[in-house]
Amino acid sequence: MNSVQPIPVVVLAGFLGSGKTTLLNHLLGNRGGTRIGVVVNDFGSIEIDAMSVAGQVGDSMVSLGGGCLCCAVDGSELDAYLDKLAAPVHRIDVIVIEASGLAEPQEMVRMLIANENPAIRYGGLVQVVDAAEFDRTRAAHPETDRHLSVADLVVLNKTDRVDPAERARIEGEIASLCAPGTPLVGADHGRIDPELLFDRRPWTETRGQLSFEDLIAEAADDAGDDGHDAHADHAHARYESVGFTSDQALSPRRFIDFLDRRPAGLYRIKGFVWFGVPGHRERYEVHAVGRFLRFVPGPWGRGERHRTQLVLIGSGTDGPGLLRELEACREEFPEQAPPESMWGVLRYVAAADRGDDPAAEGATPPEDDPVAEDDPAADYGPVPEDGTPA
């Protein structure tokens, strides 16, 4: 019982786009009978990551929006959320904190160790690394080395996007940066064995007791001693977040053109897009990491308003300018747009997610109109076969 054994709190950290939300969703979907409480700490005024996992955990998820956890002065806000999840009524077995991609893991670990609630205990730091972006991330953000040095477990994600020799080289680099004996687990699309983080309970112990499985089924200190502002050295101090919301549909052609022309400093784009083109009236989830881009179509939730919600995270970018460009993507009459206007978007949708049907007019881009090798869009990278969000 949780009243006897403190609940472990696992921190899931990693740089922007490394695949933390994908890994968390994998854990939630493969937990067996384990009850998982989730704290999502998203960077940006629109909590896209929280929206991505909310449907899986119901009321046992809390979210800290508008910045990273290490921005909290004394950690009292986080403590309050952990107290809520640790209440015996929830019968939580493990709590996972999905940190903002710009958070400082050391600060979060310190906050958890200092927590005085006897019902919880620090359960380890899992650092997620993007294999395909490892060298670029390290070069741009030297703090990556420090983050790896304090990790309890490293997940080398997106291994399917590097060849065996490259993977071996990266694993050697990571091993040299981590503390001796730190486990390194390879994964693609965040698929790791949940047993690495927690013991899965038998289904019979939780089924029929408002378990997460039932919910899924129903749903089908910042300053140093020398006065130096340590917070200014945090990765997020060099980044800015811009949120964009539109109840009006976006033109797929103009939006793809915006993505083609996005500045190099715009590192991450995530959210949901409403195009409203006949035959393509789904909600399109969009993820861009560096030059990598993909769309994942999916149904709207019951009663969910059809709208676009995006978070753009970058460094040295013109926030107001980006918003003006996105506003120019609005389409007044989406129902009049021809099906072929979606071809640019569909190039970045996995075939399995497109639901390719030869009989469906305009369902896929024509075979004689592939993404050209000299097309800037080609640099975004391949689309994963299963379209799993990062």
Side-chain angles (χ1 to χ4, degrees), residues 54-222:
Q56 296 203 56
V57 297
D59 291 337
S60 292
M61 184 190 79
V62 293
S63 182
L64 298 166
C68 75
L69 289 177
C70 61
C71 293
V73 175
D74 58 6
S76 60
E77 185 181 17
L78 174 61
D79 289 348
Y81 287 139
L82 293 175
D83 289 347
K84 173 185 174 182
L85 287 175
V89 66
H90 295 307
R91 298 185 58 175
I92 297 296
D93 296 302
V94 61
I95 296 173
V96 178
I97 298 177
E98 183 192 351
S100 158
L102 300 173
E104 278 291 337
Q106 299 98 316
E107 299 295 331
M108 302 182 69
V109 171
R110 183 183 300 123
M111 291 164 64
L112 288 172
I113 292 176
N115 188 287
E116 298 180 352
N117 186 341
I120 65 172
R121 63 176 173 82
Y122 170 58
L125 169 64
V126 180
Q127 188 76 19
V128 184
V129 176
D130 183 339
E133 297 287 330
F134 178 68
D135 290 330
R136 285 184 286 272
T137 299
R138 234 187 128 193
H141 307 282
E143 62 270 24
T144 299
D145 292 9
R146 185 176 70 252
H147 296 175
L148 286 168
S149 71
V150 298
D152 295 296
L153 170 69
V154 177
V155 175
L156 182 60
N157 196 28
K158 306 185 185 180
T159 54
D160 55 315
R161 294 182 58 197
V162 296
D163 60 42
E166 179 70 358
R167 174 176 175 176
R169 182 190 67 80
I170 294 171
E171 289 178 342
E173 290 280 349
I174 292 175
S176 70
L177 298 170
C178 294
T182 302
L184 172 60
V185 178
D188 62 273
H189 306 300
R191 301 188 188 103
I192 67 169
D193 187 348
E195 298 284 351
L196 293 172
L197 303 185
F198 52 81
D199 294 328
R200 286 184 286 189
R201 298 163 63 90
W203 285 77
T204 54
E205 294 190 26
T206 57
R207 291 291 290 180
Q209 300 176 14
L210 193 58
S211 70
F212 294 125
E213 290 80 8
D214 292 332
L215 291 173
I216 293 176
E218 292 174 4
D221 172 11
D222 285 340

Side-chain angles (χ1 to χ4, degrees), residues 223-241:
D225 294 337
D226 59 357
H228 172 67
D229 185 4
H231 184 54
D233 291 335
H234 292 185
H236 65 262
R238 302 195 297 272
Y239 281 79
E240 58 185 10
S241 172

